[in-house]
Amino acid sequence: MLTLCLPTGRVLDEAVEVLENLDIPTLRLRDRGRSLVIQEGDFRFLLAKPMDVPVYVHYGIADLALAGSDVIWETGASLVELADTGRGVCRIVLAGPKKVAARFLGHESRLMGLRVATKYPRIAEAFFADRGIQVEFVHLNGSIEMAPRLGLSDCIVDIVQTGSTLKANALSVIAEIAPVSLKFVASCKSLQLAWDGIKEIIGKFSSSSRKAGDEDGKAV
Amino acid sequence: MSRQPKGTRTLGGREGERIERCRKVFFETFSAYGYQPFYAPGLQLFESAWEKLPPRFRKRLIPVYTPSGEPCFLRADLTLAAVAYLSSHFSPQERPLRVCYAGPLYRAPIPPETDFEKMQFGAELLGWEGQGADVEVIALLLRSLRRLGIHSPVVVLGHAGFLRESLSRLDRSLSSTLTMALLERRYEAFFDALGEAHLPGGADNPLFRLPYLRGNASRTLKEANLLFGETQPLRDLALIVGALEELGLGENLRLDLALARELGYYSGPVFEIFSGSAGFSLGGGGRYDGLLEQYGIVGQALGFGLDLRTVASLSRFEGPTPAVAWCGQLSPRVALERADDFIASGYRIELSWQENREGAIQLARSRNYGWWIDLPACTAYPLDSMDEEETGC
């Protein structure tokens, strides 16, 4: 039996579709009610907050998972990235109001001491540290976009899909930090000890991507 | 209340007992084969170690100054100290040299880990190039784990030379992108980079099969030989696998030809150790030569490190039966002599000098011990029934 960890929230439906394309049974998963651990066929599914999914894989509780590349980076979890599902595509960006964006066009000395709101403190820290810019971070867990408007921060580091929330809060993208998508990942232990089962799924992954003709779905 | 620095922990009670037992089994197993216990200082000088440490390691050092103002860091690696010791305390004619060690290491944790202090057991064999050395180290390691009752430990074998050779025909930038992808276990990035390089043979190029070359040792070697030809690294691995199979350790072996462990550091076979009950690798090691070169030694060495706390948490062993022994009115001499008799018959004794017999029984219960001993009556009782069970003196 393989244990698969899936992110709850809006990305869960996309994750379930990915599993269906891999011929993994998802009937109970679709009719899950409030259950967080669901067993179906040869699989056990764990439903966890997106930020916690890589942690379950890191500690080997889950053999496999579908996890966003943003949370993989942020948690620093040690795992194996097997394939890009081409789903959940968005970007992690630095965004701010126009006057702050203008400061980024000038010398870096004008950026020192900026206050940055984010739910990705590790990613944000790496971004600014690489550029030698000393900033102050405000760690929030949601609705990051309103922080500059309310004076809590000068700018934000967050994920953006269409950009409409940024626009609604009078923010624009200052810098693209990284593309984000849903990755198919495995625990380092399971890759070695449960390889036969994982290999079978990877095989299905390749053929389902070809069937779907999905150019973004880069599979192993 | 006494607070402890974040990222460190006190290990005592049953856990402390298990760690000590593991340390003892490792030392016994390895020292029986000539590995001499070795104790390194807790600090390492920046000036002697900086250049020798893999770059990814350097960011995790924890710097301190000695009272004499020398810039140091808390010991982050024991291999370095072991090689420095072996190269300076023994002449080349005395090689091969073997050491084993156990102790704490300090590295800034990578999230989600939080501890910066780890207990490690390790061994190094310096100055023997043949496969015998690899087989010896891996076999002793597996024997130790089996002695500790660890369920089906698995050694996953790879080869740094095989990876280097396989990627050497590519241009340098592609080769380093692929190496980094394997090192970070980002196979998706590995395939992307290969795909964009438009290599001869396209998707049929053997490199596309590299991350699939894992699992059953004989089957994987066969496939690798067909794809890459019988290269020296594959012949090395075949010899190691064959010898370990002859030793009855075949079921504990897997191959992973995409296994990358600090490629600039390791030069030959590399390995990682797993157990079904632990979520991550218990440790690993391999063959290296670059570090020796920096100490002016021509040749190769082989070593490994294991996380002692993780190993201890998985270990199952039947230790002596713990019991509280009530001394009553006995003189210390007689009490100790009678306790010795019980220890000889398989008990681990905690003496209770209180006059009150009931108090001693309560002490045994509070310790969660299964047994209580009445030394004046020379009798052991199981605590659940208090039926007289055994006369030990």
Side-chain angles (χ1 to χ4, degrees), chain B residues 196-222:
Chain B
E196 283 162 16
H198 303 292
L199 297 177
D204 290 330
N205 188 297
L207 287 176
F208 278 94
R209 291 294 302 165
L210 196 53
Y212 285 95
L213 294 176
R214 68 176 72 236
N216 176 282
S218 312
R219 204 175 53 209
T220 308
L221 272 174
K222 207 171 159 187

Side-chain angles (χ1 to χ4, degrees), chain A residues 206-220:
Chain A
S206 310
S207 60
S208 82
S209 295
R210 278 197 297 273
K211 256 192 292 186
D214 179 2
E215 287 183 4
D216 290 320
K218 295 162 194 157
V220 172

Side-chain angles (χ1 to χ4, degrees), chain A residues 58-60 75-84 122 183 187-189 191-193 195-196 199 202 218 220, chain B residues 110-113 154 156 184-188 191-192 211-212 214-215 219 254 256 274-276 278-280:
Chain A
H58 175 94
Y59 287 105
T75 56
S78 172
L79 42 74
V80 187
E81 290 182 25
L82 295 172
D84 187 342
R122 271 192 93 207
K183 306 273 183 183
S187 94
C188 299
K189 171 198 81 172
L191 192 76
Q192 306 298 354
L193 304 190
W195 172 238
D196 289 342
K199 188 168 68 174
I202 294 172
K218 295 162 194 157
V220 172
Chain B
I110 298 176
E113 303 293 339
V154 169
V156 177
E184 292 175 349
R185 297 185 172 101
R186 292 169 55 236
Y187 294 154
E188 172 228 332
F191 287 108
D192 277 356
Y212 285 95
R214 68 176 72 236
R219 204 175 53 209
R254 304 275 191 287
D256 176 359
F274 292 89
S275 156
F280 34 82

Side-chain angles (χ1 to χ4, degrees), chain B residues 33-202:
Chain B
Y33 279 81
Y35 289 76
Q36 297 195 353
F38 150 79
Y39 295 90
L43 300 181
Q44 288 171 293
L45 271 173
F46 265 105
E47 63 180 42
S48 337
W50 183 256
E51 291 297 327
K52 299 177 182 88
L53 286 168
R56 281 150 56 96
F57 229 68
R58 294 178 191 156
K59 287 183 180 171
R60 299 179 62 194
L61 301 179
I62 299 167
V64 288
Y65 278 99
T66 65
S68 47
E70 290 179 302
C72 292
F73 56 90
L74 295 179
R75 186 178 61 206
D77 172 84
L78 273 158
T79 302
L80 213 60
V83 173
Y85 164 70
L86 292 173
S87 66
S88 56
H89 287 68
F90 300 90
S91 69
Q93 291 73 30
E94 290 176 89
R95 291 172 202 154
L97 297 164
R98 294 168 169 88
V99 286
C100 56
Y101 49 77
L105 294 183
Y106 300 89
R107 295 174 196 166
I110 298 176
E113 303 293 339
T114 52
D115 286 2
F116 69 83
E117 184 183 41
K118 299 266 187 191
M119 291 288 287
Q120 194 183 71
F121 174 84
E124 308 288 333
L125 194 166
L126 189 149
W128 192 253
E129 275 71 56
Q131 278 78 35
D134 305 88
V135 175
E136 171 186 317
V137 168
I138 294 172
L140 292 180
L141 170 56
L142 283 170
R143 275 188 201 174
S144 310
L145 294 173
R146 280 182 172 185
R147 272 185 70 190
L148 290 166
I150 292 181
H151 176 66
S152 309
V154 169
V155 168
V156 177
L157 263 176
H159 201 297
F162 173 75
L163 271 188
R164 238 194 315 272
E165 252 180 42
S166 307
L167 303 177
S168 64
R169 291 176 207 101
L170 307 173
D171 80 67
R172 190 180 274 191
S173 134
L174 176 62
S175 167
S176 93
T177 305
L178 294 175
T179 303
M180 194 46 80
L182 291 179
L183 209 54
E184 292 175 349
R185 297 185 172 101
R186 292 169 55 236
Y187 294 154
E188 172 228 332
F190 178 86
F191 287 108
D192 277 356
L194 269 186
E196 283 162 16
H198 303 292
L199 297 177

